[in-house]
Amino acid sequence: MIGEIRKNVKRKIVSVASSISEDNVSVKKPLHKHILEIVTGVLASKSCNLTEIARSLKEDIAIKDTLKRIRRNVHDHPEILELSNYYNMNKWKDKVREETIIALDAGDICHHFGNNFENHCRLRDGSKGSTGNGYYLNQISCYNPSERITFPMYLDMYSSEEQSFKSMNTESMKAVENFVSAAGPKGLWVLDRGYDGGIMLNYFLNKDLDFVTRLTKKRHLVLGGKPVSIPDLVKKINRRYKIGKSFRFGYKKCYINLEGKLYPVTVMVNKGEENKEPHILLTNGHIKKSREIKRRVTGYYHRWGVEECYRFEKQGFGIEKSLTPNFNAIKSLLGASMLAWSVLLMVQEDEILKEQVIANSKREKSKKKDRPKFIYYSLLDGISRAFIMAKEIFRFRKPKPPNLAPTIDELLNKRSLGMIL
């Protein structure tokens, strides 16, 4: 079974690399081979550390020679991140529907013990709650409630030390623009409090995108033609609608003033046992039906499940374990991790292969009823175990045996002599 898993997963990796090569004329044969190797190495090693990737490829040459080739390729091909985004958005755009929850989330890669990383900038480490040196991330992930499937669509890395850097809002708008141009305006965008500034709200409202964002209490809205603060507005909202046993919500139609223009919005206030203070959400338009309000409220809380994507990238693929100080190389490795995740999603859709991989992961909770909703950890473990047990993975790096001319002894051999005659 392990050999069959390995063969089927390799087919999916080959299909990913082949699709990228066919859709992009700039991808030549050497880059095609590198994509095959780096994606396989990330899946086999569960790491973005170049030494671990080189070791997992199990070539007949010394590991230092494999490492030298991989290091050179990741330095020379930062476009793999852009290629991975293009591939993922075109591959999975049909999964984006009206029900889809689209989470735009800012993240980071932090290196607390490195000072020689290229384009390092000061930022807040979201994992530890402290400041450090690293790079900013922008990720767009999707979740379909009917299928309970989370899938990544877009990932970008940038630094405030880059010459081309303008602002974090510019980088966020670029990510949304790329996504909408590929998948269309469908779905519900869910945003955290960092996106409730005037620039981002103005962008989403002018693009006619459905969104829900969490509000801070500092903003003022317009109700009945008069400005009203968020705390005063919350007091006027009756949370008479109920979800489950303890979660209650209410809403109020009002307007928001951005650059002298009034936009219709709806403020939603939610309170449950888990949160001590009510959560204040803002969505576009004047929503008339409570059913639609309920969909948008529950959609926002699905964002917390989508945030597992960052945790998986750091724990599953080890995107912070890369010790290369080169900015382009880190971009290339992030692209490889996104392509590896796309392979996991392809395995997840293949029911027979999925069951084989989960069984091979050797996890305690492998039965369907006990499995966690986020099954990518199990899939990655199962695929990694299959590649670890292989003697060799790829053969295209092996030198071909030369076509030697027959020796005198071979010519004097009766069989050879008969063939000559």
Side-chain angles (χ1 to χ4, degrees):
M1 184 180 73
I2 293 176
E4 187 178 350
I5 290 173
R6 195 161 51 240
K7 180 178 68 175
N8 289 329
V9 172
K10 282 173 64 176
R11 282 177 180 170
K12 297 188 184 300
I13 298 172
V14 169
S15 71
V16 170
S18 299
S19 297
I20 293 174
S21 300
E22 292 169 3
D23 295 340
N24 299 274
V25 182
S26 60
V27 178
K28 305 299 182 183
K29 196 169 183 179
L31 179 54
H32 174 84
K33 290 182 178 180
H34 171 63
I35 292 173
L36 282 175
E37 290 178 331
I38 198 70
V39 174
T40 305
V42 170
L43 288 169
S45 65
K46 299 192 295 183
S47 173
C48 284
N49 183 285
L50 293 180
T51 305
E52 296 298 325
I53 291 172
R55 185 179 290 112
S56 68
L57 291 177
K58 298 185 177 182
E59 296 183 345
D60 289 339
I61 59 177
I63 292 178
K64 65 177 182 179
D65 296 327
T66 305
L67 179 61
K68 183 178 179 181
R69 184 186 73 242
I70 292 176
R71 184 185 290 119
R72 182 184 69 249
N73 284 329
V74 295
H75 283 207
D76 294 343
H77 297 291
E79 70 272 17
I80 290 181
L81 180 58
E82 185 179 348
L83 291 171
S84 69
N85 289 331
Y86 177 83
Y87 173 80
N88 283 336
M89 287 190 293
N90 283 277
K91 173 73 174 177
W92 309 114
K93 63 183 178 181
D94 292 337
K95 282 184 168 292
V96 180
R97 303 186 286 267
E98 291 298 333
E99 66 156 350
T100 304
I101 308 301
I102 308 169
L104 171 64
D105 202 8
D108 59 81
I109 296 177
C110 213
H111 302 108
H112 289 281
F113 306 104
N115 297 318
N116 297 321
F117 286 82
E118 188 179 359
N119 291 331
H120 246 192
C121 62
R122 294 294 293 177
L123 47 76
R124 181 181 180 276
D125 186 354
S127 303
K128 297 184 177 180
S130 59
T131 57
N133 294 324
Y135 307 109
Y136 291 104
L137 298 177
N138 262 335
Q139 183 167 36
I140 298 177
S141 302
C142 300
Y143 175 77
N144 284 336
S146 61
E147 300 174 347
R148 296 184 177 182
I149 293 177
T150 303
F151 53 99
M153 291 284 281
Y154 184 90
L155 179 66
D156 193 19
M157 184 183 81
Y158 63 95
S159 169
S160 59
E161 296 297 320
E162 291 181 275
Q163 291 183 351
S164 60
F165 176 79
K166 293 182 179 179
S167 68
M168 296 178 70
N169 286 330
T170 303
E171 296 293 335
S172 298
M173 288 187 286
K174 183 182 78 172
V176 176
E177 195 73 34
N178 290 333
F179 181 92
V180 173
S181 63
K186 296 173 289 185
L188 177 66
W189 290 82
V190 290
L191 317 168
D192 204 0
R193 279 173 288 194
Y195 295 99
D196 73 334
I199 295 176
M200 290 304 298
L201 288 178
N202 196 24
Y203 176 80
F204 274 94
L205 288 167
N206 284 310
K207 287 288 183 180
D208 290 329
L209 298 173
D210 292 336
F211 71 91
V212 177
T213 184
R214 191 170 171 187
L215 283 178
T216 59
K217 296 181 180 181
K218 299 178 181 180
R219 180 170 293 283
H220 282 71
L221 301 175
V222 178
L223 180 66
K226 298 179 180 180
V228 58
S229 66
I230 295 297
D232 291 340
L233 181 61
V234 170
K235 294 176 183 178
K236 298 179 182 181
I237 297 177
N238 180 15
R239 299 192 298 270
R240 63 180 183 272
Y241 300 100
K242 195 174 182 180
I243 301 176
K245 294 182 179 181
S246 61
F247 191 87
R248 304 187 72 90
F249 69 93
Y251 63 96
K252 199 83 171 177
K253 302 172 188 175
C254 53
Y255 293 86
I256 186 170
N257 189 341
L258 296 173
E259 299 180 355
K261 183 178 178 181
L262 292 178
Y263 294 91
V265 293
T266 302
V267 175
M268 303 170 290
V269 181
N270 325 298
K271 181 74 168 63
E273 290 181 350
E274 297 83 5
N275 50 318
K276 296 180 181 179
E277 292 292 328
H279 289 170
I280 308 165
L281 307 179
L282 179 78
T283 189
N284 60 301
H286 283 167
I287 310 300
K288 298 179 181 180
K289 296 182 179 180
S290 59
R291 181 181 297 177
E292 177 63 16
I293 293 289
K294 180 180 177 180
R295 184 183 80 87
R296 298 196 181 198
V297 169
T298 55
Y300 174 80
Y301 291 105
H302 281 308
R303 183 190 66 82
W304 291 353
V306 175
E307 282 185 348
E308 182 70 25
C309 295
Y310 270 134
R311 192 175 295 111
F312 176 65
E313 286 162 4
K314 292 183 178 182
Q315 295 180 1
F317 292 132
I319 60 175
E320 289 185 324
K321 294 180 181 178
S322 173
L323 301 179
T324 175
N326 186 274
F327 186 69
N328 287 340
I330 298 174
K331 271 193 167 185
S332 181
L333 288 167
L334 286 177
S337 70
M338 288 295 285
L339 292 176
W341 199 338
S342 195
V343 172
L344 294 181
L345 187 54
M346 295 166 71
V347 172
Q348 196 268 343
E349 290 194 327
D350 188 334
E351 286 295 329
I352 297 176
L353 180 58
K354 180 179 75 172
E355 294 301 323
Q356 291 176 340
V357 171
I358 290 176
N360 192 50
S361 68
K362 305 296 183 183
R363 285 180 171 257
E364 292 181 5
K365 296 182 179 181
S366 60
K367 295 182 180 179
K368 284 188 176 182
K369 63 176 183 178
D370 298 327
R371 286 177 195 166
K373 295 178 182 178
F374 202 89
I375 67 167
Y376 294 111
Y377 290 101
S378 299
L379 294 178
L380 183 59
D381 284 350
I383 291 172
S384 177
R385 286 175 61 88
F387 279 118
I388 285 174
M389 301 181 73
K391 292 182 178 179
E392 64 176 2
I393 297 178
F394 292 113
R395 297 180 179 177
F396 54 74
R397 295 289 183 189
K398 281 189 172 183
K400 295 181 180 179
N403 295 322
L404 300 175
T407 62
I408 296 176
D409 292 335
E410 289 175 340
L411 289 174
L412 292 176
N413 185 280
K414 291 183 179 180
R415 184 176 298 176
S416 300
L417 188 61
M419 290 174 64
I420 293 173
L421 295 175

